[in-house]
Amino acid sequence: AVTNSVANSLAMGVATLAVLVASSFLVASLKRFIPNEVRIASYVLIIATFVTLADMTLEATVPNVHKALGAFIALIVVNCIILGRAEAFAAKTGPLRAVLDAIGMGIGFSIVLLAMGSVRELLGSGTLLGFRVLGAGFEPWVIMVLPPGGFLTLGIFMLAIAWQKERRERRAVAGRA
């Protein structure tokens, strides 16, 4: 819902990357001290701490973007990517590998957010980073800056990926025949 502009997408991506890296490092560093019975609660607490720091940092450095992101920053805590990486990878490996994994996952997540934000801002406003890209005659697609525009954009991305995969598989089959 919040990736309706490049600036918002970039801020959300950087915040998520920072939380992912910091929480993965801490989880990997403390894994032998966290009892199995409370590991998920501990991971959520660690992630929530870093989300709070990211939220405060955004509020102090870019208040306009922080205001636009609103409650979505707090939702990073329940982001399955972060909790999933803490449980599936960081808790089973050393700090260096956990941080490298978190950087890769965070960059990938940020790229997707940036792609979505770029498409949505371009079609929803005719701008990129606030600079008019499409001519004055362009009629903005209002739905693209609304939350359903995020689902529409994601659906189009998924359709394009599935189409490309299907096309690649057809070529492979035709090449073997």
Side-chain angles (χ1 to χ4, degrees), residues 2-172:
V2 78
T3 59
N4 58 1
S5 72
V6 172
N8 290 356
S9 300
L10 197 56
M12 190 63 136
V14 169
T16 303
L17 173 68
V19 169
L20 188 55
V21 169
S23 62
S24 290
F25 175 77
L26 202 56
V27 166
S29 298
L30 299 176
K31 66 184 173 201
R32 62 181 165 252
F33 302 110
I34 299 174
N36 200 34
E37 299 80 23
V38 295
R39 72 181 192 289
I40 299 297
S42 299
Y43 300 162
V44 170
L45 182 63
I46 289 167
I47 294 165
T49 300
F50 288 116
V51 167
T52 302
L53 290 172
D55 188 41
M56 291 174 160
T57 302
L58 282 172
E59 187 174 21
T61 57
V62 282
N64 290 338
V65 173
H66 178 268
K67 185 177 179 182
L69 295 177
F72 292 101
I73 290 292
L75 290 176
I76 292 174
V77 174
V78 294
N79 188 322
C80 293
I81 290 173
I82 296 175
L83 190 55
R85 293 319 291 169
E87 173 67 15
F89 195 81
K92 295 177 173 91
T93 189
L96 179 61
R97 289 189 68 204
V99 166
L100 292 175
D101 175 73
I103 290 170
M105 294 294 288
I107 288 172
F109 186 72
S110 297
I111 289 169
V112 171
L113 288 179
L114 194 56
M116 287 185 61
S118 297
V119 168
R120 292 181 67 198
E121 181 177 354
L122 187 63
L123 296 177
S125 306
T127 63
L128 282 176
L129 283 171
F131 296 103
R132 179 147 303 281
V133 175
L134 301 178
F138 173 72
E139 185 66 35
W141 302 5
V142 177
I143 192 168
M144 295 307 282
V145 295
L146 299 173
F151 290 110
L152 181 62
T153 305
L154 184 58
I156 290 169
F157 283 177
M158 291 173 67
L159 179 66
I161 291 167
W163 175 77
Q164 183 66 24
K165 182 180 175 185
E166 176 71 24
R167 191 171 165 215
R168 196 175 307 129
E169 289 173 1
R170 283 187 190 163
R171 284 185 179 169

